[in-house]
Amino acid sequence: MTTTAAARSTDETVDAFFAAFGAGDSEALLGQFADTVDFRVSGAPNVPWAGSRSTKAEIAEFFGLFPQLLSGPESFEITARIGQGADAVVIADCVFEVTATQKKFRNRYALHFTVVEGRIARYHMYEDSYAIHEAFTA
């Protein structure tokens, strides 16, 4: 049985997000987002993906930055997941390398999703922007 976006639970939507992200399927990834999103990644000014976004075009640009700037993940693990109603928080730990500097960084982050009618309406990422800043600094 196929589940429509409106009928999907928060957990199903978050699972679909990570499946699309892991597969590098940008079309499916963008399909997880509402038309307008409260999208924010706080961070140091030299971290290219830090900042606020709201449209699918801006979100596509965000996810398009990673393969341009980073090697594939050396490691990636979801270490915790908490859900309540429309909200889910995922805690993850990963290691990437900045291709321009060849410096690696370990990023332990929390990602807060809010899902409305089967689509991600809020995406707030809290990451170690100092470690990322250092990796982007030559």
Side-chain angles (χ1 to χ4, degrees):
M1 179 165 97
T2 305
T3 307
T4 64
R8 287 191 315 180
S9 71
T10 298
D11 283 342
E12 289 169 327
T13 302
V14 171
D15 288 345
F17 166 84
F18 279 108
F21 182 75
D25 186 342
S26 58
E27 185 177 331
L29 181 70
L30 289 175
Q32 304 314 308
F33 288 92
D35 292 335
T36 303
V37 181
D38 176 8
F39 191 107
R40 184 178 64 221
V41 179
S42 300
N46 70 326
V47 176
W49 55 82
S52 296
R53 294 160 178 83
S54 63
T55 67
K56 283 193 180 184
E58 292 168 333
I59 294 167
E61 178 188 18
F62 169 84
F63 287 108
L65 288 172
F66 297 113
Q68 294 175 26
L69 302 170
L70 306 175
S71 65
E74 184 176 299
S75 65
F76 178 84
E77 179 184 10
I78 293 175
T79 58
R81 186 171 168 159
I82 304 158
Q84 183 175 5
D87 293 295
V89 175
V90 174
I91 311 291
D93 190 351
C94 57
V95 175
F96 284 94
E97 180 179 281
V98 175
T99 54
T101 64
Q102 297 183 332
K103 291 183 178 180
K104 292 182 182 181
F105 64 92
R106 182 175 192 176
N107 191 12
R108 294 181 179 136
Y109 66 88
L111 187 53
H112 175 198
F113 296 93
T114 301
V115 175
V116 177
E117 296 180 356
R119 298 279 185 242
I120 299 166
R122 177 185 297 138
Y123 179 103
H124 287 187
M125 182 175 234
Y126 306 95
E127 60 186 355
D128 185 354
S129 69
Y130 184 77
I132 300 167
H133 156 80
E134 287 291 306
F136 272 96
T137 303

